[in-house]
Amino acid sequence: MMQWLAVFRRENLENWRNFKWIWVPIVFILLGVMDPISMYYLPKILEATGGLPEAASLNLPQYRPEDIIMASLSQFSQLGVLIIVLMTMGLIARERRSGVAELVLVKPVKYRTYITAKWSATSLLVLVSLTCGLLMSWYYTNILFGVLSFQQFLQVWGFYSFWLLFVVSISMFMNTLVKNSGAVAFLTFMTIILSSIVTKIFSKYLVWSPNRLSEYIMDTINTGTVPGELLGTAGMSSVLILLLITGSVFMLRTKEMA
Amino acid sequence: MGVIRWQLILPILIIELILIGLALFDWFRTKETNGHRWMWLFIILIINPFGPILYFLIGRKH
C-alpha cells in the first residue's frame, strides 16, 4: 500500500511538473463551453453579418438544454478523446524505452502496483478535467438555454465517466503492448474506431457496448428514467476496464521478463 | 452587435490567456523542443486556442 501511494504520488507530481493538472482541465472547460456559447450567438451573428434578403425568414431550430449538453458531450467524445489519447500515448511506453520503467521495477515494485497506480493517477486527472468541463457546460446551458436539473447533470457526468475511463484503459493496455508512443496512439484510435463500427453493424446484439454510452445518456436525460441498457452498459464497461488493466499487468510482466 | 454579454465571454478569454501564458512560460524555460524552438513560439501565439495545446502535447521535450 505504501508502495502504491509512492508511485501514485510520483505520477501526480510528474503531472504537476509538466502542467497537465492545469492545461487538461482548461482544455475540457473550453470544449464544454464552446457549444453553448456558439449556439447562443449563432442567430445573432447571422443577423449582424446579414447576407440574407429581407423576406427570407431564418428558421433555426429551437435548442433545448438537453441538446446543448449532448453537443458538449460529443465535443468531449471527439476532441476530448483525441487529447486523452495523445496525452497518454507515452505513459508507460516512453518510460520503457528510456529505461525509467526498469529503474522503477528493479526495486521491489510489483507490476500490479506500477500499472494500477499509473492508471489511477491518469484517471483522476481525466475525471477532474471532465468534471470541470461538464460543470461549465451545465452552467452556461442553464444561463443561456434553460434549466437542466442537477440530477440530469449527475446522470450525464456519472455515466459518461465510464467512457473516458475506458479510453484511458485501452491506451494503457496499448502502452504495454508496444514501445513506440506513436504506435500506441494509432492502436488506441484503431480500437476505438473499430469497436464503434462493429457496434453500429451489430447494434441488435451488442446492446451493452461501451460505444453506446452517449446514446443511452441522451435517452436518460430526455425521458427522465435510466434505461436498463445504460446500467448494463456501465457494468460491461467496468468489466472491460478491469480486463484491460489485468491484461496490461500481464503484458508488462511477460514483456519485461523476456 | 451591441448584444455581446461580456460576463459570458470574459471568463473564457481569461482561461485562454492563462493557457497561452502557461505555454509561453514553459517555452521560455526550456532550451529544447521537438522541432524548431522559434516555430513553437509562433504556434503558441497565433493558432488559438489549439496552439498551446499542441505545444504541450507534442512540442515539449520529455
Side-chain angles (χ1 to χ4, degrees):
Chain A
M1 194 61 206
M2 288 302 289
Q3 236 177 28
W4 190 91
L5 273 179
V7 181
F8 182 74
R9 283 216 191 96
R10 171 178 159 264
E11 275 311 300
N12 262 329
L13 190 68
E14 187 70 16
N15 284 345
W16 271 112
R17 287 219 180 110
N18 51 30
F19 302 114
K20 273 184 189 159
W21 269 112
I22 304 174
W23 72 261
V24 184
I26 285 185
V27 169
F28 270 79
I29 288 172
L30 288 178
L31 288 178
V33 156
M34 209 151 70
D35 274 278
I37 295 215
S38 60
M39 283 182 183
Y40 178 74
Y41 278 118
L42 187 65
K44 294 181 176 61
I45 291 169
L46 285 180
E47 239 169 64
T49 50
L52 286 168
E54 282 298 310
S57 66
L58 209 53
N59 263 329
L60 286 172
Q62 200 68 43
Y63 291 116
R64 298 169 309 137
E66 287 88 355
D67 301 330
I68 305 296
I69 200 122
M70 284 314 291
S72 290
L73 266 202
S74 86
Q75 289 288 352
F76 294 146
S77 294
Q78 290 162 19
L79 287 171
V81 165
L82 177 78
I83 282 162
I84 290 176
V85 172
L86 291 179
M87 181 184 86
T88 54
M89 66 185 181
L91 195 63
I92 298 172
R94 190 180 297 123
E95 290 197 350
R96 281 172 65 205
R97 220 173 27 187
S98 62
V100 179
E102 271 119 40
L103 276 184
V104 175
L105 291 166
V106 154
K107 293 179 216 156
V109 173
K110 290 200 181 70
Y111 291 99
R112 198 176 50 217
T113 310
Y114 180 73
I115 293 277
T116 50
K118 270 194 175 264
W119 183 86
S120 309
T122 313
S123 298
L124 184 69
L125 172 67
V126 166
L127 284 187
V128 168
S129 308
L130 172 71
T131 312
C132 296
L134 260 186
L135 268 177
M136 287 299 278
S137 167
W138 182 50
Y139 175 72
Y140 273 85
T141 306
N142 271 336
I143 291 181
L144 301 175
F145 291 92
V147 178
L148 200 69
S149 70
F150 182 61
Q151 194 196 349
Q152 281 172 310
F153 165 77
L154 275 186
Q155 285 166 342
V156 173
W157 175 81
F159 287 112
Y160 193 72
S161 301
F162 283 99
W163 174 243
L164 292 188
L165 291 185
F166 182 59
V167 172
V168 169
S169 309
I170 296 177
S171 176
M172 172 131 242
F173 180 71
M174 296 307 171
N175 261 290
T176 59
L177 216 57
V178 284
K179 277 189 185 176
N180 183 308
S181 32
V184 171
F186 174 77
L187 284 174
T188 312
F189 281 127
M190 284 315 281
T191 311
I192 296 172
I193 291 167
L194 275 181
S195 73
S196 117
I197 293 173
V198 170
T199 305
K200 280 222 176 76
I201 296 174
F202 299 106
S203 60
K204 229 182 202 170
Y205 309 104
L206 296 174
V207 186
W208 288 354
S209 163
N211 290 77
R212 305 183 74 167
L213 275 167
S214 296
E215 184 189 325
Y216 294 140
I217 289 173
M218 191 165 77
D219 291 346
T220 305
I221 57 172
N222 278 335
T223 60
T225 50
V226 180
E229 288 95 340
L230 183 54
L231 295 177
T233 312
M236 178 54 92
S237 309
S238 320
V239 170
L240 286 176
I241 289 170
L242 275 177
L243 280 179
L244 282 166
I245 295 174
T246 321
S248 312
V249 176
F250 182 75
M251 284 310 296
L252 193 65
R253 193 178 288 151
T254 47
K255 283 270 158 90
E256 298 295 323
M257 292 298 182
Chain B
M1 282 296 277
V3 282
I4 286 188
R5 288 155 69 179
W6 282 105
Q7 66 263 46
L8 294 181
I9 306 292
L10 205 62
I12 298 162
L13 287 181
I14 292 172
I15 283 176
E16 265 184 39
L17 278 180
I18 294 175
L19 194 62
I20 294 173
L22 198 67
L24 282 180
F25 172 70
D26 192 65
W27 182 86
F28 276 114
R29 271 195 339 174
T30 52
K31 297 271 177 295
E32 261 186 284
T33 54
N34 286 326
H36 202 277
R37 189 160 176 268
W38 286 93
M39 175 191 82
W40 280 109
L41 179 65
F42 286 106
I43 293 178
I44 291 169
L45 287 177
I46 292 168
I47 309 175
N48 233 330
F50 294 104
I53 303 171
L54 276 178
Y55 171 73
F56 281 122
L57 278 177
I58 50 178
R60 284 181 99 248
K61 265 248 161 63
H62 292 269

